[in-house]
Amino acid sequence: MEMREIEAFLEVARELHFGRAATRLGVSTPRVSQAVRALERRVGGPLFERTSRRVRLTPLGERLHAELRPAYERMERALGEARRSASIAALRVGVATSLPDAVIDGPIRAFERVRPHCAVVRSAHPNTDPVRWGVDWPVDVFVGWLPADLTLVQAMGFGVGPAWLREERAVLVAAGHPLARRVAVDAEELADHAILYPSNMPEQLADLWIPPVTPGGVPLRRVPRHTSTSLEEAIVLVAGGDVVHLTIAAVRPDNPHVVTVPVTGLPPMICAPVWPAGTDSAVIRDFARVTGLSPRSAGRAR
């Protein structure tokens, strides 16, 4: 069975008119008729009832159409995806500034071995940038920290790949803060302290990082003093001594005035690639799949 016969048959079935089908295909009407007749000879029966007034599918034609149409559409999608993938010479990967190189380098090298003709262009961004970018992302995929409940992230319009890392929660406090000498802090105790809160972060995202209440339902005192959403600014503000910053245990600042203390009672965070759901592609899926399987060192986030 030749492709031109299938295309002619499907277009006539769509238009129920040989002339209009020929116009859509950009060929002559006799050529469409010849292709349909050739297919009818292969099948062994008429596919259309033709009169001077109308064209309609025969029962045999209806059965063949029901089988061929979905298969043809799947093939078209596959070919289109292959063409788009072949045209991508580079993949722009955004990386959270809190992720150390030891976490990123191995997975990216693994992807480049699988896609040797697709160079990775890497850039660093605050972990909250993907939500603020909206629909105008400067990268194709972003690797950063997310809540372990991925349904919350997917509901915000993101595609999510396999997790690279899983980290428990922690709090950054000034070296002289009462919590600094603790081995761990229970989440309920956070209600007694002012927690740094990004004033320019969308509330639904901020709530994923800093819940409005403790697991026991006690409201947390969230202070909207953090303006840039960068970890560096948070460290400077925490060093001042009157606020704490809820983060992950891997964050270990190179600052003698700030201490990381583990927090118990809160769900962990994961590190995973995300992208706008509407921009899904074979290259992005390959990146998520390959990097999700690649071994890596947790390193220390800074």
Side-chain angles (χ1 to χ4, degrees):
M1 191 179 297
E2 296 185 8
M3 185 59 65
R4 63 183 178 85
E5 297 171 2
I6 296 174
E7 290 176 337
F9 167 69
L10 292 176
E11 283 302 328
V12 175
R14 182 211 301 261
E15 297 291 338
L16 295 179
H17 192 282
F18 279 77
R20 288 196 298 269
T23 299
R24 287 180 61 90
L25 291 171
V27 298
S28 67
T29 301
R31 186 171 177 181
V32 171
S33 297
Q34 291 168 5
V36 169
R37 284 197 297 271
L39 184 57
E40 288 176 327
R41 287 194 296 271
R42 291 180 189 275
V43 172
L47 300 174
F48 295 98
E49 291 180 4
R50 307 168 178 85
T51 69
S52 58
R53 290 188 173 184
R54 67 179 183 179
V55 174
R56 68 179 182 181
L57 285 164
T58 63
L60 177 62
E62 290 176 351
R63 289 197 298 273
L64 183 62
H65 182 266
E67 293 290 338
L68 281 183
R69 181 81 250 176
Y72 180 79
E73 289 175 348
R74 287 195 297 272
M75 183 186 67
E76 284 288 285
R77 286 195 297 269
L79 289 173
E81 185 61 53
R83 284 192 293 268
R84 285 190 295 273
S85 297
S87 67
I88 297 177
L91 182 70
R92 300 168 302 168
V93 177
V95 177
T97 52
S98 58
L99 284 176
D101 290 341
V103 172
I104 299 296
D105 291 344
I108 286 182
R109 284 195 297 269
F111 171 75
E112 289 177 328
R113 286 193 294 271
V114 172
R115 288 266 190 172
H117 302 297
C118 183
V120 173
V121 179
R122 189 165 67 180
S123 56
H125 307 270
N127 195 81
T128 55
D129 270 5
V131 172
R132 297 194 298 110
W133 287 335
V135 297
D136 189 23
W137 277 40
V139 298
D140 300 304
V141 61
F142 180 81
V143 181
W145 295 102
L146 306 167
D149 184 355
L150 294 182
T151 59
L152 301 173
V153 181
Q154 292 163 340
M156 296 169 68
F158 296 132
V160 186
W164 290 18
L165 297 171
R166 183 183 181 93
E167 280 287 337
E168 299 300 325
R169 304 306 301 272
V171 64
L172 297 184
V173 301
H177 194 279
L179 298 179
R181 293 181 296 277
R182 298 282 295 278
V183 175
V185 175
D186 186 88
E188 298 299 328
E189 297 179 78
L190 295 177
D192 299 328
H193 304 277
I195 301 176
L196 196 58
Y197 188 80
S199 58
N200 64 342
M201 187 191 296
E203 186 174 357
Q204 64 179 148
L205 176 65
D207 287 351
L208 300 181
W209 272 91
I210 310 167
V213 298
T214 69
V218 180
L220 290 178
R221 184 155 52 96
R222 305 189 298 185
V223 180
R225 194 180 303 169
H226 193 190
T227 59
S228 72
T229 71
S230 72
L231 179 61
E232 290 74 17
E233 184 191 4
I235 292 170
V236 171
L237 292 171
V238 167
D242 61 338
V243 292
V244 301
H245 176 56
L246 188 58
T247 182
I248 54 174
V251 173
R252 305 280 178 171
D254 283 330
N255 186 320
H257 304 294
V258 176
V259 177
T260 302
V261 182
V263 171
T264 60
L266 289 179
M269 304 291 284
I270 65 168
C271 172
V274 296
W275 58 89
T279 65
D280 194 17
S281 71
V283 175
I284 291 176
R285 290 195 298 272
D286 274 354
F287 180 85
R289 176 182 58 82
V290 173
T291 57
L293 294 173
S294 176
R296 62 192 58 80
S297 167
R300 292 205 310 172
R302 301 182 183 277

